[in-house]
Amino acid sequence: MAKATDLNLRIEGMHCASCVNSIEHGVKSLEGVSACRVNLATNSAVVSFDQSRVDEKSVLEKISQLGFSPTVGRPDILTANEQQTAEARRRFILSLVATVPLMIIAMLPMVTGQPIVSAPVDALLQGLIAAFVLFYCGWSIVEDAAIQARYVRANMNSLIALGTFTAFGWSIYATVRIFQGHSEWLYFESVGMIITLILLGRFLEARAKGRAGQAIRALWNLRPAQTTALINNVEVDIEADAVREGMLIRVKPGERLPADGVIEDGRPVIDESMVTGESTPVEHTPGDKVIGGSLNGNVPFLFKVTAAGEQSYLATVIRMGADAQAAKAPIQRLADRVAAVFVPIVLGLALITLAAWFLMAPDSPLLIRSTI
């Protein structure tokens, strides 16, 4: 049996656990795919497949057919979600700024007993504000719901869109009736409030996801930008990324080590709290091992590099942290299974409720006809 190949992907367009379930089941349906692990928190996936039975292109095409945008590569934990957080913040603030006057226009007459403006103007103002909130601020929700409908699927955005479009559609009908001189209830404020609360949740979610890489970023920042190498007994300033195994590096007081190594000359006191958690600096002697990212305290010393770049201890910790972010916890897998049936159940209950009201409500057309 051929050894499985792991394919790391970044996936755009996921919004909830139903999206995760759709991708996992869709990709697993391909012959030759042994596993598909999708992580919503990092918008990433790892697909294990047999290259002799299915190729990378087929996996990407399958995910694209499901309505998502995959690209090959690991998620960038250091910068992940920054743009998404900024966009989520902007749309939430716009929605909030629009929804506040919408709620005032809709609710203040209930408090004062007097309408702010005439009924037609009131309906028109509410409709325009609600349309802005729904079709601009909440456009990502509307767009994703349309994509899900196109592929005959449903997720949380489908439920949100269904509820808001129902309220918006009825309110448009009621507005037409109001302009004709009738009195009708409007639900534009429900549209604004629902979208604003959802966008608030999306913003908080994006911010929390963005914080997932802060600890890793802090570790990455421990690497110095430049260092001093001893080349032919001449000290030369070089980029830290240019450090290679076997080089001799001179570390001055107050500088961080660019790589792992063994002390050749000097008896420095080094702060290794980033590794050991020990707050007290430790004295080292020639022959002792030192770790990249540690802080030299008192005297300059010379060390020989034993591991640099991706092979260094610090890079290994960063890589393990990134892998941990991309992994899926057991409780998350359970949540995905529950969410996979949540949307269909809610839609089913809604249809049952609609049928029950249509058949048994006092003003049901069926009951009215049966009494005639």
Side-chain angles (χ1 to χ4, degrees):
M1 184 175 180
K3 183 179 179 181
T5 300
D6 286 343
L7 175 63
N8 291 280
L9 300 173
R10 298 185 296 270
I11 302 178
E12 299 297 328
M14 295 191 297
H15 297 281
C16 67
S18 293
C19 300
V20 172
N21 184 69
S22 297
I23 295 174
E24 289 183 341
H25 280 75
V27 173
K28 286 179 182 178
S29 67
L30 293 174
E31 184 179 357
V33 174
S34 57
C36 178
R37 301 176 296 278
V38 180
N39 193 301
L40 179 62
T42 56
N43 293 324
S44 64
V46 179
V47 180
S48 300
F49 64 99
D50 184 351
Q51 287 184 313
S52 64
R53 301 169 64 189
V54 64
D55 57 11
E56 180 180 302
K57 182 179 178 181
S58 299
V59 175
L60 296 176
E61 288 178 348
K62 182 63 177 180
I63 297 176
S64 297
Q65 291 171 4
L66 294 172
F68 305 95
S69 302
T71 53
V72 178
R74 291 176 177 271
D76 187 355
I77 299 299
L78 298 180
T79 59
N81 217 42
E82 289 184 355
Q83 293 182 348
Q84 183 181 354
T85 302
E87 179 66 12
R89 180 190 295 109
R90 185 180 71 86
R91 290 190 178 272
F92 164 65
I93 292 175
L94 286 174
S95 181
L96 180 64
V97 170
T99 299
V100 169
L102 175 60
M103 296 298 295
I104 292 175
I105 295 172
M107 298 299 179
L108 191 59
M110 298 183 184
V111 178
T112 62
Q114 297 293 331
I116 301 176
V117 292
S118 64
V121 174
D122 177 89
L124 184 60
L125 285 175
Q126 290 191 50
L128 291 174
I129 298 174
F132 170 78
V133 173
L134 178 59
F135 293 106
Y136 181 75
C137 301
W139 176 248
S140 61
I141 299 172
V142 175
E143 183 182 33
D144 183 63
I147 293 174
Q148 300 304 317
R150 175 186 174 188
Y151 292 98
V152 197
R153 296 196 309 266
N155 61 11
M156 293 302 296
N157 284 336
S158 303
L159 296 181
I160 298 166
L162 182 61
T164 52
F165 267 93
T166 300
F168 187 81
W170 167 260
S171 298
I172 291 294
Y173 166 75
T175 299
V176 174
R177 294 270 296 170
I178 289 173
F179 270 86
Q180 293 173 347
H182 300 281
S183 178
E184 296 287 350
W185 289 99
L186 298 173
Y187 298 97
F188 287 124
E189 80 284 353
S190 298
V191 176
M193 183 59 69
I194 291 171
I195 294 297
T196 300
L197 290 176
I198 293 299
L199 293 178
L200 171 60
R202 297 280 170 86
F203 166 58
L204 295 176
E205 178 188 13
R207 189 174 65 172
K209 288 165 63 177
R211 288 177 175 175
Q214 287 185 354
I216 298 174
R217 186 190 302 275
L219 287 175
W220 187 264
N221 290 337
L222 292 175
R223 299 180 60 192
Q226 289 188 321
T227 190
T228 302
L230 191 63
I231 302 176
N232 296 327
N233 292 323
V234 177
E235 293 186 358
V236 180
D237 290 336
I238 63 172
E239 298 290 332
D241 292 336
V243 173
R244 295 293 182 268
E245 183 179 349
M247 281 186 171
L248 291 175
I249 303 296
R250 176 80 67 185
V251 184
K252 301 173 184 177
E255 292 184 343
R256 291 191 179 274
L257 281 65
D260 303 343
V262 176
I263 295 179
E264 294 284 323
D265 181 48
R267 303 176 66 90
V269 175
I270 300 176
D271 180 3
E272 298 178 336
S273 58
M274 49 78 62
V275 177
T276 64
E278 186 177 358
S279 59
T280 304
V282 179
E283 182 178 354
H284 290 271
T285 58
D288 288 351
K289 293 181 179 180
V290 289
I291 299 174
S294 301
L295 180 65
N296 181 26
N298 57 350
V299 296
F301 70 96
L302 187 70
F303 79 96
K304 185 175 183 179
V305 176
T306 58
E310 293 298 319
Q311 284 70 46
S312 68
Y313 179 85
L314 184 60
T316 302
V317 172
I318 293 173
R319 186 168 56 252
M320 292 176 64
D323 291 341
Q325 290 291 339
K328 185 181 293 188
I331 189 64
Q332 188 175 354
R333 289 194 291 268
L334 175 62
D336 289 347
R337 289 197 297 269
V338 172
V341 298
F342 176 76
V343 173
I345 289 176
V346 171
L347 291 176
L349 291 174
L351 291 174
I352 293 173
T353 304
L354 173 63
W357 273 101
F358 182 76
L359 294 173
M360 296 182 291
D363 55 351
S364 168
L366 295 180
L367 292 180
I368 294 174
R369 283 198 297 268
S370 65
T371 57
I372 295 178

